Amino acid sequence: MQSALALFALAAVSPLSVSAVPATATASSSSALPSATSNVLGLNELAHAAGKNYFGSAVDNTLPEFTDPTYMSIYLNWDQFGQITPANAMKWMYIEPEPGVFNFTLGNQIADLASDYDYVLRGHNGVWYSELPSWVTSTDWNATGLAYAVQRHVNGIVSQYAGRVYAWDVVNEPLNDNGTYREDVFYDTLGASYISLALETARAADPNAKLYINDYNIEYVGTKSTAMQDLITQLQADDVPIDGVGMESHFIVGEVPTTLVENFQAYEALGLEFAITELDIRMELPATEESYEQQKQDYYTVVNACMQVSACVGVTVWDWTDKYSWIPSSFPGYGDACPWDADYQRKPAYDGIAIAFEGQNITA
Ligand code: 9MR
């Protein structure tokens, strides 16, 4: 396994001295689709100027991203990105593949990059129904045994990165779309108590990390968002530590919800911070000039909603280039969900983000 430093050397960059990519992107040679024109400040610079903590991206070092020099030369430009979330590296199946046996190799690559480049680190994630090792899903648990396993896992990962993580998605996707609890190994064995157990364990392991619950379809007014607010209210009443909510924001071009601001204000009223944690906006392929322009509008709408509510601390895209996006394999026929295309050209979506952080009206 290469050290993080070796990987950075491969990418031919050094901390905080990365030169920006050419200011004006040109259209991809493979298409006549439009590209971005915003060229003064990078997106992370704009986020900071707007009073937000970061603009960042998920990075998947289970894919060959870290060894892709073009990817790294753009990603390690703090002007553009100031935050990192491991797309997979800190998930249970990678980080505790056997009971009590932790493998921090991939997670450390991400955390070391964050330290070396002064990027905000979001830990992702503690307890989730997916990407679990088989020993978690196939054991016939009793409550005591699984509670111990949850505590050992959360303590193991949170203490490993204590002092380095800004926020942890301690609990990921605990709710169904109808607002009921997701029935997974944790809920089926422990009921909703696994949520408070995980949060309390995380707080003890790193008192300074912001503790989040992260989910999708809670970004807009509706049954699931109401259920999440009820869960937060209950945790607060029970004195369980909870600091923030992650709004995943996996959207579809032309179908971005219209109640983002109203919904975000409801979370702010609970005294929490929140973040856009996994933004991407997919479109039906092939892309057209019109779908690119709609995507620009849609990225603007989401980032502008974050701008309207001060409790929104930052925006993370779920990878920034279509080259490594998870969308095509999960949604056949859809893609082009990221602000940079697969050839690393900035799309109009990039301008939508920039205009929102600048506080401009996109139609002006
Ligand atoms: O990007 C992740 C992808 O590589 C994995 O195959 C997938 C497994 O479900 O998880 C993806 O990330 C998910 C994130 O951890 C939680 N919210 C939904 C994301 C997309 O599935």
Side-chain angles (χ1 to χ4, degrees), residues 60 62-63 86-88 91 124-125 128-131 172-173 214 216 248 250 278 318 326 330:
D60 192 352
T62 70
L63 299 176
N88 282 301
K91 289 173 178 173
H124 180 82
N125 56 51
W128 187 31
Y129 75 93
S130 182
E131 291 186 87
N172 204 44
E173 302 176 352
N214 186 55
Y216 58 88
E248 291 191 10
H250 296 289
E278 304 186 12
W318 206 245
W326 69 293
S330 296

Side-chain angles (χ1 to χ4, degrees), residues 15 48 59 114 170 189 249 292 331 361:
H48 279 262
V59 169
V170 179
T189 311
S249 309
Y292 262 37
F331 298 95
N361 187 334

Side-chain angles (χ1 to χ4, degrees), residues 180-204:
T180 59
Y181 286 105
R182 184 188 293 279
E183 294 183 355
D184 56 16
V185 62
F186 307 107
Y187 185 77
D188 291 347
T189 311
L190 296 167
S193 74
Y194 84 89
I195 297 173
S196 44
L197 179 67
L199 289 163
E200 282 161 353
T201 304
R203 176 66 93 224

